[in-house]
Amino acid sequence: MATDQNLSFVLQKPGEVKYEDRPIPKIANPYDVIVNVKYTGICGSDVHYWQHGSIGAFVVRAPMVLGHESAGVVHQVGSAVQSLKPGDHVAMEPGIPCRRCMRCKAGQYNLCADMAFAATPPFDGTLAKFYRLPEDFCYKLPEGMSLEEGALVEPTSVAVHVVRQAGIRPGQSVVVWGAGPVGLLCCAVARAFGASKIVSVDINEERLQFARKYAATHTFRAQRESANESAARLVKECELELGADAAIDATGAEPCIQTAIHALRVGGTYVQAGMGKPEITWPIGAMCAKELNVKGSFRYSSGDYQLAVVMISNGSVPVKELITGKVPFGSAEKAFQDVKEGKGIKTLIEGVQD
């Protein structure tokens, strides 16, 4: 393909995608960086937009480029850029905050009301040949860290933020509901933070077997039973004594959320990482009686991306074994279909070939 093309994978409307040649982004600010995207992972949110055209209040009203889990090679830099040069390999943090509001100034830029996040309407995503980012949202990959691993920095950053929200300390126990990519990465990050007992919960035995080999010290297969019964069985089988120190839900499923509250010790911490129904039945009595710390977790914030790069590069959070498939850019829709059907763990879409 000619070098002046910017082939992009564009969602036209729910269930309909096509390839478009869009303008190559230009340097608009002296701190801008143009990245030639080489690998992009598929996230559940991408699949949801592809299927339904919306997530909550975010509705696709015009054609939108998909993708936000990417890594690439620096193609061009602005005149003020000092830390990067053409040819550098970078992980791409895909959300640009306003930098001026109270939340940004407090270091919680993930909560910025004016966030421009890739592949969240109305902003285009990274499944294109070229993408523009500010210098400080491009993280140079250390020597020996591959671009494929670079594309896993984004979901790893999500897990870093979740585990930080949980306040995991050495010697603590943590139970993670869901053995998909984010749940598995939460297990790995919790281990790197020093958790001594890490329980992975899922209904899929194959995924639980992988979790045990990957980062979990214990696994628990969920069954059709009440939340109280499931929590009691979990605590007993995994020898959690009076309950877990922390519980993380990476499913968004109501039964998992309810079980997690009952499985915590008094004074424990619960973090919601997965998205599900907008409203559920909540065990408010158990939450109050146990004086639980209940937190949400939204994307990632100050320091999360850089820590994810460090953890992947030094091997404390391995990600290569999570990559179960790679497809060429021209087969992107097939990759979306495979993810929808639950095939593999993490599928990467290769960049546009020259």
Side-chain angles (χ1 to χ4, degrees), residues 231-248:
R233 188 166 62 86
L234 168 64
V235 169
K236 182 178 180 181
E237 289 183 15
C238 298
E239 299 179 327
L240 290 169
E241 299 177 354
L242 299 178
D245 294 309
I248 294 167

Side-chain angles (χ1 to χ4, degrees), residues 135-153:
E135 174 186 15
D136 54 329
F137 283 76
C138 297
Y139 297 78
K140 187 174 179 179
L141 301 184
E143 196 75 29
M145 184 172 167
S146 69
L147 283 164
E148 291 94 328
E149 290 173 297
L152 270 293
V153 172

Side-chain angles (χ1 to χ4, degrees), residues 36-310:
N36 183 354
V37 182
K38 293 300 183 182
Y39 288 99
T40 300
I42 302 175
C43 173
S45 65
D46 293 314
V47 174
H48 202 278
Y49 280 124
W50 171 57
Q51 288 183 271
H52 304 288
S54 64
I55 296 178
F58 298 103
V59 180
V60 178
R61 304 187 190 279
M64 179 184 79
V65 179
L66 293 167
H68 64 271
E69 301 181 1
S70 296
V73 178
V74 173
H75 175 71
Q76 185 182 5
V77 300
S79 59
V81 173
Q82 297 184 354
S83 65
L84 296 170
K85 64 184 184 303
D88 284 343
H89 290 193
V90 294
M92 302 160 60
E93 183 172 355
I96 313 305
C98 77
R99 304 178 188 263
R100 295 180 295 276
C101 69
M102 290 297 293
R103 295 283 66 79
C104 283
K105 290 181 177 181
Q108 297 173 300
Y109 65 79
N110 58 317
L111 304 180
C112 174
D114 292 323
M115 171 72 75
F117 198 87
T120 296
F123 304 103
D124 286 320
T126 58
L127 271 171
K129 186 172 183 179
F130 297 104
Y131 192 80
R132 181 178 61 211
L133 281 170
E135 174 186 15
D136 54 329
F137 283 76
C138 297
Y139 297 78
K140 187 174 179 179
L141 301 184
E143 196 75 29
M145 184 172 167
S146 69
L147 283 164
E148 291 94 328
E149 290 173 297
L152 270 293
V153 172
E154 199 276 349
T156 304
S157 300
V158 171
V160 167
H161 192 68
V162 171
V163 174
R164 279 179 155 175
Q165 288 289 85
I168 298 298
R169 299 188 302 276
Q172 288 193 316
S173 61
V174 58
V175 184
V176 181
W177 273 261
V182 170
L184 290 167
L185 285 165
C186 284
C187 289
V189 173
R191 180 181 63 183
F193 275 37
S196 59
K197 182 170 287 188
I198 303 160
V199 183
S200 177
V201 181
D202 206 288
I203 58 173
N204 185 312
E205 185 59 38
E206 185 179 352
R207 290 209 168 194
L208 289 176
Q209 290 175 6
F210 181 89
R212 188 67 178 261
K213 290 186 293 184
Y214 180 63
T217 60
H218 297 69
T219 58
F220 180 81
R221 189 169 185 177
Q223 300 175 2
R224 288 188 177 276
E225 56 190 339
S226 72
N228 273 306
E229 290 171 334
S230 184
R233 188 166 62 86
L234 168 64
V235 169
K236 182 178 180 181
E237 289 183 15
C238 298
E239 299 179 327
L240 290 169
E241 299 177 354
L242 299 178
D245 294 309
I248 294 167
D249 176 69
T251 71
E254 186 171 5
C256 299
I257 296 166
Q258 293 167 341
T259 301
I261 296 298
H262 292 296
L264 281 165
R265 65 164 173 81
V266 294
T269 297
Y270 175 83
V271 180
Q272 186 62 47
M275 297 290 284
K277 295 191 300 183
E279 295 183 9
I280 64 167
T281 300
W282 180 266
I284 191 168
M287 181 192 74
C288 291
K290 291 184 177 183
E291 202 169 293
L292 299 180
N293 304 294
V294 177
K295 299 181 181 181
S297 187
F298 188 60
R299 296 173 180 157
Y300 24 77
S301 194
S302 298
D304 295 332
Y305 234 80
Q306 185 59 54
L307 182 55
V309 171
V310 170

